[in-house]
Amino acid sequence: MARITEIRLTLAAFIYGIEIDLKNAIKKYITPFQGDLKFIKDSELEVRILDRFRKDNPGVDFKNNIDDVVDYIDFYDSFNILNKNCVFLPKPLVDYLKSIFQNLTDLIPVRNRVMHTRPLLGGDFSAVYDFIQNLKHNSPIDWKFSIDTRDLIEKDPSYILTLRLPQLANYDIPSKVVHNLPIPDFDDTGFIGRTKDVDEIKKLIFSNKVVSILGDGGIGKTALAVKIAYDLVDMGDKCPFELIIWTSAKTTMLTSKGIEEIYTAITDYTGLISIISDTLDSSIKENKIDSILEYLELFKTLIIIDNLETIQSEEVRNFIRNAQTRCNIVITSRIGLGELEYPRTLSGLTDTECAKLIREIARIRNSDILMKLPQSTLIEIASKLYYNPLALKWFVSTVETGISPQEVLNNKDDLLNFCLTNVYEKLSEGAISVLNSIRASRRKLSSAEILYLSDYDTLEARKFLIELFKTTLISREIIDATNLEEVYYYIPEFAKEFLSQKHPVEQEFVKKITRKSKELNSGIQDIKKINSYNEFSINALSCETPNQRIAAKLLSEALNYSRVSNYTKAYQKVNEARNVDPNYYEVYRVSAFMKATNGDTLSADDDYLLGLEIAPENPRLLFFYAQFLLFHLEDTEKALEYAQKLHKIKPEHPYTSFLFARCYNTMKEYNKAIQIIRNLISKTELDPQNLRVAYTELISLYAHNGQSYLRVENDIDNGISHFKKSFETFDKCDEKGIVDIKMIKNFCEALHTFISMIPATEVSNSKAYIKEVILAHQNQISLIYLNRKLIFKYAERFEDDSLSYLLDAQIADGTKIGNLIKGQSDTYVFIESESERYFAHYSDFADLKSSAELKKIKHGQLVSFEEGINTKGPCAKNVKIVESVK
């Protein structure tokens, strides 16, 4: 405290000297010619000064003691009265007074801060010291007292501690706010910067019951709280508080010699209650909590708890929880309270403020080394000390002991321990694990990524993440100010250096996080590929924000589990995705799809509707819900309503036309469905897969329409005509080489239905035609189970066994059917079969001798194959071309 007291006493001595010399000038040049106080030239001021004199000198005639009355003049009035009485002053003194009048005016707020034990501001010492330094013995005003004081202090700074200065005049009205605020402990530099922080935190105090000032050790939390508290006191009648109670749990301080213990601080809950109780009423000995709460009911009170993290416990939290209903509370801490508080986290000082702080300390301590450093070097030093005010003071103090600046910067163990050890030691094991996950990733992470990479389920990981948010071990950065989800978290450099030195992460843990990060990125890339390939695939997932990307990865894993009927794991992943982002509509789409697949239709309907509340115009959600209504709930009219809405949004997309047509098909409005598909084929350039789907739908629709004409309308000609259109459509597809197994199945079903429904009058006329159709496509027909059924039906209806030999061509068990998907390579292809893709090398083809022969096979060619396994997974073996008979 000696050094801090020295600064304030030094300023007091200088200001006192200036004030005495100004009053002596009044006594020398003005009062000798006065018989009363008219020279004051302000009747109200004259009354106030006279009242002060008479209070100390009852019964004394002031007219015979005018020089004594001058001693009761305030600092500002002393030079203002000189200025008003220029007629009595020599011309050089008048000119000199004008030249220094503004300088003297600037010293008034400094004098008041010194006088009222208010926090000094940055530059206060320099302002007074510079004025004193410029005083000369030959000045028009005799500055003898000021200059003598200056000379004595400069010869021996400790001389100030031996002075017994008369108390500077203080005639202000006593403060309306009772308080026990400490003497500010930053007098050596004054309070620098933080103007915005001061204003914002004061607003928070006025509008919130509990406000926390959070930050690293030494970042300036205590100084800021002291400054704000004194500002509140100085509001007088406008202050919303009648009592301000200060308590401190600060147990250590950082000096150039290391970390030193403070033995006067409160160390636990009991100490906190005792300090508050004694401040309110020292006579309270029992039932202190009850007494405190009673006082808080009676008086508008602000309680300030400094360095709460050293005593934070459930008892303290409960006290704050109870007290905040009766008073306002401000805490400073390295660890927040969570739901009880409105937190305000402090960052470091700016470049300019840091440089100013270093120069202020260096000047006061006469440090030549630091005084000579350029601004850019001071800013570089500040960056290496993380713009932390205490770190800067510690740096200057340590350099002052004779250690070079670079050596100080290279050895920051004491600084790091002081600022962050308390915080780390209070973390739970889970919070440390989550913190290490962020560290091991070696990059900034979104909250969703942090949750995904941790070893805990989403809700538990979020709990640990919230615990970390209450500290300064992680910071956040908003990437896109228009999107609140574009927030990334990282370890600030200050914390990173501390953690690296004191708590390194194990190598295996780093490798594990790296692997999970790669899996995550790979999974998200796969999702994007699927989305670009087919936006109406169940595995297609839109993910725009960081949270959605993580949720999409979890949903992708859920779909993988559901594919193998592991619904327990699948629903677990869906719930994790919902916890990551409850407003992500894809969560409800995937959940609904899985529930519908599992037979839980009502819950599925609820989930679809929840998703549509979030994204009512989302095409994929509309598509899946319309399908669900159509096939699971058989609510055709409502399905058509959603299909029409989707078609308006995506009129050119084949899937919207397919859905639209299927709705009409279910409603038996076959002509409308046929027209939709024909328009799609004629007006839209379709890829081979969607072209096959369109023709497959058309084959079925023609057959259904033919069946309707024959059975419902008894229109034989139209019925037969539409069946023939179905078979002609298949012929066309066979010629184009775009046949697949689904198309063959629909074709065979249409043919079987036609044979069954031919009117007796048309049997003889149709026999040759049907036989020709079967023989033309016998290779395709042999690929599916309808082979035998179809041939038997032909033999039964036409009483003709001539096609029975085709039964021997039935495909062997285990053989699959698919279509070739050709890419850039000439040595391999993929085979698409029932929504699955299989790799096939040219050597896996039964009848190919070289890659050149593979090159000649057209894209979409129908093939049969057996499923095999290679080093990369499932593949096609024994691939055979399915030739058309034509």
Side-chain angles (χ1 to χ4, degrees):
M1 292 293 291
R3 186 175 293 275
I4 296 170
T5 304
E6 177 186 333
I7 299 300
R8 191 171 287 266
L9 274 178
T10 300
L11 289 176
F14 285 155
I15 292 169
Y16 178 71
I18 295 168
E19 189 170 332
I20 293 301
D21 288 333
L22 289 172
K23 290 176 181 178
N24 285 339
I26 294 174
K27 295 173 184 178
K28 179 177 180 180
Y29 295 107
I30 300 175
T31 58
F33 307 101
Q34 309 298 321
D36 53 29
L37 300 181
K38 298 298 182 185
F39 67 92
I40 294 176
K41 298 186 178 181
D42 182 331
S43 58
E44 290 184 6
L45 177 60
E46 183 179 334
V47 170
R48 287 202 302 273
I49 295 171
L50 206 50
D51 284 345
R52 295 168 188 170
F53 173 80
R54 286 170 174 165
K55 185 177 179 180
D56 288 345
N57 304 278
V60 178
D61 183 5
F62 75 90
K63 292 184 180 180
N64 296 323
N65 298 276
I66 292 178
D67 281 356
D68 292 335
V69 174
V70 170
D71 291 331
Y72 290 87
I73 294 173
D74 281 333
F75 179 75
Y76 169 74
D77 296 319
S78 61
F79 59 86
N80 196 38
I81 288 170
L82 282 171
N83 192 47
K84 289 179 180 179
N85 290 273
C86 292
V87 65
F88 297 106
L89 307 180
K91 181 65 166 61
L93 194 153
V94 172
D95 295 339
Y96 177 65
L97 184 61
K98 287 181 180 179
S99 69
I100 64 168
F101 194 87
Q102 186 58 51
N103 301 96
L104 290 169
T105 303
D106 292 341
L107 296 185
I108 294 170
V110 182
R111 182 258 185 198
N112 291 338
R113 285 190 283 272
V114 172
M115 163 71 188
H116 299 299
T117 321
R118 294 298 186 260
L120 300 178
L121 301 184
D124 279 358
F125 183 85
S126 296
V128 177
Y129 187 74
D130 287 345
F131 184 86
I132 287 287
Q133 282 291 91
N134 290 326
L135 300 182
K136 303 289 193 296
H137 284 288
N138 58 354
S139 295
I141 292 179
D142 184 1
W143 296 110
K144 183 180 186 310
F145 198 92
S146 301
I147 292 173
D148 287 349
T149 302
R150 178 190 69 192
D151 292 345
L152 286 170
I153 291 174
E154 287 190 346
K155 288 177 183 177
D156 180 11
S158 64
Y159 161 77
I160 194 68
L161 299 177
T162 68
L163 292 179
R164 292 194 171 209
L165 298 173
Q167 184 176 2
L168 294 176
N170 180 15
Y171 306 115
D172 293 342
I173 298 172
S175 172
K176 299 292 185 181
V177 184
V178 178
H179 65 84
N180 66 334
L181 295 175
I183 296 174
D185 65 353
F186 43 84
D187 282 352
D188 50 349
T189 61
F191 189 83
I192 293 176
R194 302 281 190 209
T195 303
K196 183 179 179 182
D197 292 318
V198 169
D199 292 340
E200 291 185 357
I201 292 174
K202 276 196 271 190
K203 290 177 183 177
L204 291 177
I205 293 170
F206 296 151
S207 58
N208 296 274
K209 299 301 288 185
V210 181
V211 176
S212 293
I213 304 172
L214 305 178
D216 294 329
I219 203 68
K221 303 182 294 296
T222 301
L224 182 61
V226 170
K227 173 70 168 67
I228 289 169
Y230 274 113
D231 283 356
L232 294 175
V233 170
D234 289 338
M235 289 176 68
D237 291 337
K238 294 182 180 179
C239 180
F241 307 110
E242 298 169 290
L243 293 174
I244 296 180
I245 301 173
W246 177 276
T247 65
S248 179
K250 186 176 291 186
T251 57
T252 59
M253 62 184 294
L254 180 66
T255 70
S256 59
K257 297 177 182 179
I259 300 172
E260 296 182 0
E261 298 290 330
I262 298 174
Y263 297 103
T264 57
I266 57 176
T267 57
D268 54 21
Y269 167 73
T270 303
L272 173 67
I273 298 305
S274 294
I275 287 289
I276 296 173
S277 174
D278 291 346
T279 304
L280 292 169
D281 186 346
S282 59
S283 66
I284 299 173
K285 302 301 179 186
E286 296 181 355
N287 300 321
K288 291 188 175 182
I289 283 289
D290 293 339
S291 298
I292 289 172
L293 296 178
E294 285 180 18
Y295 267 96
L296 298 182
E297 290 280 7
L298 294 172
F299 300 98
K300 297 175 182 177
T301 306
L302 173 66
I303 296 175
I304 302 173
I305 308 173
D306 186 35
N307 272 62
L308 178 69
E309 78 277 356
T310 61
I311 60 166
Q312 195 172 132
S313 65
E314 196 55 37
E315 286 180 310
V316 173
R317 292 172 67 87
N318 284 334
F319 169 73
I320 292 173
R321 190 177 285 110
N322 291 329
Q324 57 97 20
T325 63
R326 298 168 172 85
C327 72
N328 289 64
I329 299 172
V330 172
I331 70 168
T332 74
S333 183
R334 305 176 192 186
I335 303 171
L337 288 170
E339 77 283 356
L340 287 176
E341 68 190 347
Y342 191 103
R344 178 63 156 74
T345 302
L346 291 189
S347 55
L349 299 176
T350 65
D351 287 347
T352 304
E353 289 167 350
C354 286
K356 181 178 181 180
L357 180 61
I358 295 173
R359 291 193 190 281
E360 287 285 337
I361 306 170
R363 181 173 187 180
I364 291 168
R365 300 187 180 183
N366 201 24
S367 176
D368 291 336
I369 296 175
L370 295 176
M371 285 293 291
K372 294 176 182 178
L373 292 178
Q375 183 83 350
S376 59
T377 302
L378 294 181
I379 292 172
E380 183 181 352
I381 290 170
S383 69
K384 290 179 179 179
L385 293 170
Y386 315 107
Y387 307 99
N388 182 299
L390 179 67
L392 299 176
K393 293 180 180 180
W394 165 81
F395 169 78
V396 176
S397 297
T398 310
V399 169
E400 198 179 346
T401 65
I403 303 174
S404 71
Q406 192 57 48
E407 188 177 349
V408 175
L409 292 173
N410 292 339
N411 295 280
K412 294 181 281 192
D413 284 0
D414 284 340
L415 173 66
L416 296 170
N417 284 335
F418 177 83
C419 294
L420 293 170
T421 295
N422 272 352
V423 177
Y424 188 86
E425 288 177 348
K426 292 184 181 294
L427 292 177
S428 66
E429 184 178 334
I432 290 173
S433 178
V434 171
L435 178 66
N436 287 341
S437 297
I438 304 172
R439 295 171 64 194
S441 69
R442 308 185 309 283
R443 63 186 177 88
K444 296 175 181 177
L445 299 176
S446 68
S447 60
E449 287 176 311
I450 295 169
L451 300 179
Y452 182 85
L453 292 175
S454 73
D455 289 326
Y456 305 95
D457 65 57
T458 306
L459 289 178
E460 196 170 21
R462 193 181 296 279
K463 179 184 72 175
F464 295 132
L465 191 55
I466 290 171
E467 182 182 343
L468 286 171
F469 288 165
K470 293 189 292 183
T471 75
T472 55
L473 291 173
I474 60 174
S475 293
R476 69 177 186 170
E477 178 181 54
I478 300 175
I479 304 298
D480 180 1
T482 63
N483 187 347
L484 293 179
E485 290 186 351
E486 290 291 330
V487 179
Y488 286 81
Y489 297 89
Y490 62 95
I491 312 293
E493 291 301 320
F494 196 9
K496 186 183 292 184
E497 184 172 352
F498 166 77
L499 293 169
S500 297
Q501 288 186 18
K502 306 298 179 182
H503 304 282
V505 181
E506 293 181 1
Q507 184 178 355
E508 283 306 310
F509 188 88
V510 175
K511 288 181 179 178
K512 182 184 75 172
I513 296 299
T514 301
R515 283 194 301 269
K516 290 186 77 171
S517 293
K518 287 181 178 178
E519 290 171 8
L520 175 61
N521 291 333
S522 175
I524 292 172
Q525 290 304 315
D526 289 343
I527 289 167
K528 289 180 178 178
K529 286 180 183 177
I530 293 170
N531 202 42
S532 62
Y533 175 68
N534 178 10
E535 67 173 299
F536 291 108
S537 165
I538 181 58
N539 293 302
L541 297 159
S542 297
C543 45
E544 299 173 0
T545 68
N547 284 359
Q548 288 181 359
R549 287 193 280 274
I550 302 303
K553 178 66 170 64
L554 292 166
L555 292 176
S556 180
E557 293 174 9
L559 289 167
N560 289 336
Y561 282 120
S562 82
R563 193 174 292 117
V564 295
S565 300
N566 188 345
Y567 288 103
T568 301
K569 274 284 192 182
Y571 288 133
Q572 179 184 328
K573 290 295 180 181
V574 169
N575 287 333
E576 287 182 28
R578 185 184 287 110
N579 288 332
V580 167
D581 191 345
N583 293 315
Y584 182 34
Y585 60 89
E586 295 282 28
V587 170
Y588 303 98
R589 179 180 70 86
V590 171
S591 176
F593 176 83
M594 286 166 44
K595 288 176 179 177
T597 305
N598 213 18
D600 189 359
T601 53
L602 292 180
S603 291
D605 189 50
D606 289 340
D607 279 351
Y608 274 125
L609 292 174
L610 280 172
L612 286 165
E613 282 184 19
I614 297 169
E617 303 292 324
N618 181 261
R620 185 159 48 248
L621 199 49
L622 291 169
F623 177 79
F624 275 91
Y625 187 48
Q627 284 198 129
F628 169 76
L629 291 168
L630 186 63
F631 300 120
H632 288 272
L633 293 183
E634 298 182 3
D635 189 344
T636 312
E637 290 186 4
K638 200 167 184 181
L640 181 62
E641 177 189 330
Y642 281 91
Q644 287 173 327
K645 186 175 182 179
L646 172 62
H647 196 260
K648 287 179 181 178
I649 297 172
K650 289 271 188 179
E652 303 298 324
H653 200 287
Y655 274 50
T656 64
S657 295
F658 296 152
L659 178 60
F660 212 179
R662 285 164 189 163
C663 289
Y664 282 125
N665 182 31
T666 305
M667 299 172 75
K668 298 184 179 180
E669 295 191 32
Y670 304 117
N671 284 322
K672 288 183 179 179
I674 289 169
Q675 193 57 48
I676 289 170
I677 299 300
R678 290 183 63 177
N679 285 341
L680 176 68
I681 293 171
S682 62
K683 295 180 180 180
T684 307
E685 188 175 343
L686 299 173
D687 61 46
Q689 181 180 356
N690 284 319
L691 190 60
R692 284 198 296 273
V693 174
Y695 277 119
T696 300
E697 293 285 333
L698 199 55
I699 289 167
S700 291
L701 288 169
Y702 278 134
H704 289 159
N705 211 13
Q707 185 177 351
S708 177
Y709 276 119
L710 289 175
R711 179 173 294 169
V712 179
E713 299 180 34
N714 201 27
D715 186 340
I716 295 174
D717 290 341
N718 255 331
I720 292 174
S721 172
H722 275 84
F723 271 112
K724 286 184 176 181
K725 285 181 181 179
S726 176
F727 308 145
E728 289 165 4
T729 301
F730 186 78
D731 280 340
K732 187 186 297 184
C733 292
D734 193 17
E735 290 172 2
K736 291 183 176 183
I738 58 172
V739 172
D740 65 8
I741 195 67
K742 173 69 174 172
M743 188 184 292
I744 295 171
K745 179 177 177 292
N746 285 15
F747 164 69
C748 289
E749 286 179 343
L751 193 53
H752 183 273
T753 303
F754 181 50
I755 295 171
S756 302
M757 293 188 66
I758 294 174
T761 57
E762 298 295 326
V763 169
S764 60
N765 295 334
S766 302
K767 178 181 177 182
Y769 171 75
I770 291 175
K771 187 173 185 177
E772 182 183 345
V773 171
I774 292 174
L775 290 174
H777 302 294
Q778 59 181 291
N779 287 347
Q780 289 93 337
I781 292 171
S782 69
L783 298 175
I784 64 169
Y785 70 93
L786 284 170
N787 177 327
R788 299 178 68 81
K789 186 177 177 181
L790 183 61
I791 301 304
F792 285 144
K793 178 57 71 174
Y794 174 85
E796 175 193 333
R797 193 72 201 275
F798 296 111
E799 297 179 352
D800 180 4
D801 294 330
S802 62
L803 297 181
S804 297
Y805 72 93
L806 294 178
L807 297 174
D808 298 331
Q810 187 172 352
I811 193 167
D813 288 343
T815 301
K816 291 179 175 289
I817 306 301
N819 299 86
L820 291 189
I821 306 297
K822 301 186 76 175
Q824 303 277 336
S825 175
D826 293 333
T827 61
Y828 67 85
V829 293
F830 288 94
I831 300 174
E832 192 170 82
S833 175
E834 299 179 359
S835 301
E836 297 289 338
R837 284 198 173 195
Y838 297 85
F839 173 85
H841 192 264
Y842 80 86
S843 61
D844 293 318
F845 283 73
D847 303 320
L848 298 187
K849 296 179 180 178
S850 67
S851 59
E853 293 181 11
L854 177 63
K855 188 177 181 181
K856 295 176 183 177
I857 301 175
K858 62 184 178 181
H859 181 86
Q861 173 65 51
L862 195 66
V863 297
S864 65
F865 65 97
E866 298 169 7
E867 185 175 346
I869 297 290
N870 63 17
T871 56
K872 294 185 177 180
C875 67
K877 299 289 184 183
N878 194 27
V879 184
K880 296 179 181 178
I881 305 297
V882 177
E883 298 284 2
S884 173
V885 174
K886 295 179 181 179

